[in-house]
Amino acid sequence: MRKTDLSEVLNSEQAAAASEINGPLLIIAGAGSGKTRMITYRIAHMLEEGINEKNILALTFTNKAAKEMSDRIKALIGKPLKELTATTFHSFGLSILKQYIHHIGYHNDFTLYDTNDNEALIKNCIVQCGYQIPDYNTRTLLSFFSNLKTGRERIENPDSAIAEIYKEWILTQKAYNVVDFDDLILLPIRIFEEKPWVLEHVQERYRYIMVDEFQDTSLLQYRLVSMIASKYRNIAVVGDDDQSIYSWRGANYQNIVNFEHDFPERKEFKLERNYRSTGNILTAANALILHNSERKSKKLWTDEDSGSAISIKHHKTSEAEAYWIGGQIKAEMRNIRSLKYGDVGVLVRTNALISELENVFAEMNIPVRVSGGQSFFDRREVRDILCYLKTLLNSHDDVSLLRIINTPRRGIGRTTIEKLREYADNNNCSLHESMEKMAGENSPLQQRTKDNLRAFLSKLREWKSSSSTPDNLIRRIVEEIHYKAMLSEEYPDSSKTVDYKMHSIEILENRLKRYLEMNEGAELKDYLNAVAIVGDEKEDDGNKVNLMTMHASKGLEFRLVYLAGIEDDVIPSQRALEENAKNIDEERRLFYVAITRAREKLVINYADTRISRDGEEKLVLPSRFLEEIPKDLFKNEEKSPEDLKKEQIERMKALLARARNN
């Protein structure tokens, strides 16, 4: 087969970057610059040059992006490439732990805890330490504990209740043989440090490394990948510091500086040609981001024409804004025959701004897909069944056991659970082992309680030794615990609710079955780990208006983009600036990302009044970022952002004066 001539399929900058396959590379890829295409052809070029597929590691941040990358490469090469590793950081960390975690004192059958599992575990630790659960916000506590674990924060008072709970949480995670998302990065690093031979083995396997969305890597993720790359130094990182918007979850765009320091022999390339947006949209984005000083110099450009001017729309209220946007979407659908609802993106700064838009769209019969809604795997009925499966796979998983021990109720009350916990603590064993002991003849428990424990344990043993396929096992468990009857008791006046929840379990069965069929050699534990990493994949036809936060929009593009709530204190976020005035740069990068999602048309909206977090209606000003966009990019019939802000300030002064006179 003739080797691909990169100059025939890529532009000159892309081809130059793709043809360099040895040594460290820093590739600065602006928004819409075709970086995925470049990455795909670069890896295909490496394979054509004789590099073994098993020696290539390509890392990105979403399963969707990893799958897209893998599928494109396979299509180019025309081979299955089963040994090529194109995956996410967390999935890669999980694969390392599956092979080597026993070297640092864990069992190989560890369980991966997601946010909900960890919150439940923290609640147990709060009680275990003698404190009251209502006194703590467990979601906030979990976020703080994550920052402690990853070194982003520290405890000021080592004798505080928080310090005690944190210590108990860490010890309990290890005792239960569970890991969380932070551990998927932390523990591989620990293994590499404590077992150098493991690092050498991994370095020999992955001699060529490529990292996409490099600006989104945390310090720990960079440390992990740089440890592997330090031997052969064939590492290419692709990113754009102007799109670094995830500092709140540990991302650090300074990793670009770290990379330059650690790999001084690197070659650097810039991809500045944009294939997505019109000239006016790019000019606005370039003008905006120039106000950030700490950035790699770059300027997006396009061969496309200037396109339509950017619209800025003023509304009296946030409700009026929502109805106007809905009306415009309907009008565009009528006027542009080729337009689909899925071609439209409505972006906001925070989740709090979504509900009003969502409700108005529903009222106007506009189909909408909201990013950030409840995951399928967070539904109560789905979590119940998943915890049954987790308990069968890992008898040390106390959190899952505690969830199912009385789901449905089986006569094992709180007092009994406290005694089981006490025995487990005193004998340094799991709750499952405690149940086995306390169900024995010499147990101090009442005979009826022992009978209930024995019946439950007997069922667990039956299910664990069952030869049923995992999806059939779910069906068997649901039938034998009379789960539908339990739901009917809870919702006696709503058979639709019961049917809906039972249908969720059927969906779970089908998804599990499909996963095992599509992944050769996969087992139930692999599916449970995949669920914890991936979460829900929305199943619809895609032809819905995309209503989402600006953060969620990264990596996406839409023909038409409506930005709602573009006001000071919203973007830039008042809360972000209160935390640190320097956050203004990241807020500007976030607005830059939002602007560059638009391909053909960009409409910016703001209102005179908006409902605050405490439920009060307040007067607001247009975002200061609008003043950083050249006036001539806005429609002639529109007032400039400066004029709109002056008018709003005058309105505020008049209202304040009226209030004083009253």
Side-chain angles (χ1 to χ4, degrees):
M1 183 179 71
R2 184 176 71 88
K3 290 184 179 180
T4 303
D5 184 347
L6 294 176
S7 64
E8 293 180 356
V9 293
L10 301 174
N11 67 36
S12 57
E13 292 80 13
Q14 292 171 335
S19 62
E20 285 286 344
I21 58 178
N22 292 306
L25 272 67
L26 174 59
I27 304 170
I28 303 298
S33 61
K35 69 178 177 62
T36 303
R37 180 178 176 83
M38 183 278 298
I39 291 171
T40 301
Y41 273 98
R42 183 175 186 271
I43 294 176
H45 177 60
M46 293 166 68
L47 294 168
E48 289 178 345
E49 289 297 311
I51 294 173
N52 194 314
E53 64 182 89
K54 72 178 182 181
N55 294 140
I56 299 174
L57 171 63
L59 295 171
T60 187
F61 279 84
T62 68
N63 290 278
K64 181 180 179 181
K67 185 178 186 303
E68 180 184 1
M69 185 190 303
S70 179
D71 289 346
R72 285 196 188 187
I73 297 166
K74 292 173 183 176
L76 283 176
I77 297 298
K79 295 180 180 179
L81 301 177
K82 291 185 177 180
E83 293 187 292
L84 173 69
T85 304
T87 188
T88 66
F89 271 92
H90 287 103
S91 292
F92 177 67
L94 179 61
S95 70
I96 296 294
L97 296 186
K98 284 181 178 179
Q99 296 179 72
Y100 303 111
I101 196 170
H102 59 283
H103 291 294
I104 55 172
Y106 288 79
H107 300 292
N108 281 331
D109 62 345
F110 64 88
T111 299
L112 176 60
Y113 269 17
D114 62 12
T115 299
N116 289 283
D117 295 327
N118 253 330
E119 278 198 73
L121 188 63
I122 286 177
K123 289 177 182 177
N124 288 344
C125 293
I126 291 171
V127 173
Q128 185 64 24
C129 292
Y131 303 109
Q132 300 297 314
I133 292 175
D135 293 339
Y136 297 91
N137 182 319
T138 53
R139 181 60 59 96
T140 301
L141 205 57
L142 178 57
S143 176
F144 179 56
F145 285 0
S146 173
N147 288 339
L148 288 176
K149 184 183 274 192
T150 55
R152 299 199 298 271
E153 293 193 62
R154 63 189 183 90
I155 292 178
E156 298 295 336
N157 180 6
D159 296 322
S160 64
I162 295 295
E164 184 182 358
I165 295 168
Y166 175 69
K167 181 180 179 181
E168 180 68 19
W169 177 65
I170 292 293
L171 292 174
T172 305
Q173 278 192 326
K174 181 67 181 297
Y176 288 6
N177 197 42
V178 301
V179 301
D180 59 26
F181 289 103
D182 293 325
D183 293 323
L184 296 182
I185 307 299
L186 283 166
L187 294 183
I189 291 173
R190 179 181 161 192
I191 291 171
F192 290 165
E193 289 175 338
E194 295 182 10
K195 308 294 178 183
W197 65 269
V198 173
L199 175 58
E200 290 179 13
H201 180 79
V202 175
Q203 288 172 331
E204 287 300 318
R205 167 71 191 272
Y206 300 110
R207 301 186 182 194
Y208 293 85
I209 301 171
M210 193 153 194
V211 182
D212 189 17
E213 302 288 3
F214 185 63
Q215 77 281 346
D216 292 337
T217 54
S218 67
L219 291 173
L220 287 170
Q221 287 167 334
Y222 173 65
R223 185 178 174 189
L224 174 68
V225 76
S226 62
M227 289 176 78
I228 301 171
S230 62
K231 182 173 183 178
Y232 289 101
R233 306 184 75 77
N234 297 317
I235 177 172
V237 299
V238 185
D240 179 10
D241 51 342
D242 287 340
Q243 297 186 71
S244 179
I245 59 174
Y246 293 114
S247 65
W248 48 276
R249 69 181 190 195
N252 194 327
Y253 73 94
Q254 289 293 332
N255 276 338
I256 293 178
V257 176
N258 296 335
F259 183 82
E260 292 173 335
H261 176 269
D262 295 338
F263 297 91
E265 76 275 28
R266 75 197 176 280
K267 293 182 179 180
E268 187 169 321
F269 300 88
K270 288 184 181 179
L271 308 183
E272 297 173 290
R273 181 177 178 180
N274 180 281
Y275 291 91
R276 176 188 299 154
S277 305
T278 61
N280 282 336
I281 293 171
L282 292 184
T283 301
N286 285 330
L288 174 78
I289 206 64
L290 276 175
H291 289 77
N292 280 4
S293 56
E294 294 184 10
R295 60 184 291 268
K296 284 278 186 180
S297 175
K298 73 184 78 66
K299 186 175 183 180
L300 299 180
W301 62 276
T302 181
D303 280 341
E304 299 292 326
D305 58 28
S306 296
S308 61
I310 297 169
S311 295
I312 179 168
K313 294 292 183 181
H314 154 245
H315 311 277
K316 289 188 176 180
T317 66
S318 59
E319 183 181 50
E321 175 189 66
Y323 278 107
W324 184 88
I325 292 174
Q328 283 299 114
I329 292 172
K330 285 209 156 190
E332 296 284 16
M333 290 292 294
R334 290 192 298 269
N335 297 334
I336 307 175
R337 296 185 64 181
S338 63
L339 187 70
K340 298 179 180 179
Y341 280 119
D343 294 327
V344 180
V346 181
L347 313 183
V348 296
R349 171 62 180 86
T350 66
N351 279 311
L353 273 63
I354 285 179
S355 60
E356 186 165 42
L357 287 158
E358 182 182 11
N359 291 333
V360 167
F361 290 174
E363 183 181 324
M364 299 177 73
N365 292 316
I366 297 173
V368 62
R369 175 174 51 230
V370 178
S371 297
Q374 185 190 39
S375 164
F376 171 80
F377 297 102
D378 282 336
R379 295 179 189 175
R380 174 259 180 114
E381 60 275 13
V382 174
R383 295 197 67 80
D384 285 346
I385 303 308
L386 288 176
C387 282
Y388 269 96
L389 299 178
K390 289 179 181 180
T391 300
L392 298 181
L393 286 179
N394 181 4
S395 60
H396 296 280
D397 185 352
D398 286 2
V399 170
S400 294
L401 178 60
L402 285 170
R403 184 182 183 101
I404 67 170
I405 198 169
N406 273 314
T407 305
R409 291 185 296 273
R410 45 176 58 93
I412 305 173
R414 178 180 59 82
T415 302
T416 300
I417 293 174
E418 288 175 352
K419 291 178 180 178
L420 292 172
R421 168 72 73 187
E422 182 181 3
Y423 182 92
D425 291 342
N426 292 338
N427 292 274
N428 194 28
C429 65
S430 69
L431 277 176
H432 190 278
E433 292 170 313
S434 175
M435 285 172 55
E436 295 277 7
K437 293 291 185 182
M438 296 292 278
E441 291 298 333
N442 297 325
S443 165
L445 298 179
Q446 294 181 358
Q447 188 61 46
R448 180 185 297 178
T449 302
K450 287 191 286 188
D451 290 341
N452 292 335
L453 286 175
R454 289 170 185 167
F456 181 45
L457 288 167
S458 176
K459 277 296 178 187
L460 292 178
R461 284 191 291 269
E462 281 183 32
W463 295 327
K464 188 169 185 175
S465 61
S466 171
S467 59
S468 301
T469 60
D471 55 306
N472 286 333
L473 179 59
I474 289 178
R475 194 172 304 119
R476 177 180 172 183
I477 291 171
V478 171
E479 290 174 356
E480 293 184 4
I481 65 175
H482 306 293
Y483 195 80
K484 186 174 183 179
M486 181 195 76
L487 293 176
S488 297
E489 288 182 14
E490 293 183 12
Y491 303 98
D493 301 323
S494 181
S495 60
K496 287 185 178 180
T497 300
V498 174
D499 291 342
Y500 175 82
K501 290 180 177 294
M502 292 302 294
H503 182 59
S504 293
I505 297 174
E506 290 178 17
I507 293 174
L508 177 64
E509 291 176 24
N510 293 332
R511 289 187 177 184
L512 171 55
K513 182 178 181 180
R514 187 163 65 244
Y515 176 87
L516 296 177
E517 289 173 347
M518 294 176 62
N519 295 272
E520 186 178 352
E523 300 176 2
L524 176 58
K525 65 179 180 180
D526 299 308
Y527 177 73
L528 295 178
N529 286 334
V531 163
I533 291 179
V534 179
D536 186 27
E537 295 179 1
K538 308 291 184 191
E539 293 185 356
D540 57 50
D541 60 7
N543 191 22
K544 297 179 180 179
V545 169
N546 300 275
L547 175 57
M548 61 181 63
T549 64
M550 295 175 182
H551 281 100
S553 74
K554 189 168 177 296
L556 304 176
E557 60 182 67
F558 309 101
R559 287 180 65 181
L560 275 60
V561 167
Y562 295 86
L563 304 182
I566 306 305
E567 300 138 9
D568 261 357
D569 295 347
V570 177
I571 182 159
S573 160
Q574 180 182 9
R575 181 182 297 179
L577 297 186
E578 286 174 352
E579 291 176 356
N580 189 336
K582 292 183 179 180
N583 284 338
I584 186 71
D585 283 357
E586 180 155 336
E587 290 293 303
R588 186 178 285 108
R589 290 195 294 268
L590 182 57
F591 193 45
Y592 172 85
V593 166
I595 289 174
T596 54
R597 298 312 94 193
R599 286 160 50 193
E600 300 172 10
K601 186 173 182 178
L602 176 65
V603 184
I604 298 172
N605 297 268
Y606 89 96
D608 285 345
T609 63
R610 192 164 297 277
I611 305 299
S612 64
R613 288 195 297 268
D614 57 9
E616 296 293 325
E617 186 176 46
K618 65 175 184 177
L619 289 165
V620 291
L621 291 171
S623 170
R624 69 194 74 176
F625 291 151
L626 296 179
E627 299 173 43
E628 299 175 356
I629 299 175
K631 296 179 182 180
D632 59 0
L633 296 179
F634 294 102
K635 281 187 176 179
N636 291 333
E637 67 268 21
E638 302 286 354
K639 295 180 180 179
S640 71
E642 292 91 335
D643 292 336
L644 289 168
K645 181 168 280 191
K646 287 177 183 177
E647 289 182 4
Q648 180 68 332
I649 289 173
E650 291 303 316
R651 282 194 292 271
M652 285 184 169
K653 287 180 179 178
L655 286 171
L656 288 172
R658 191 182 309 158
R660 282 195 296 268
N661 292 335
N662 291 337

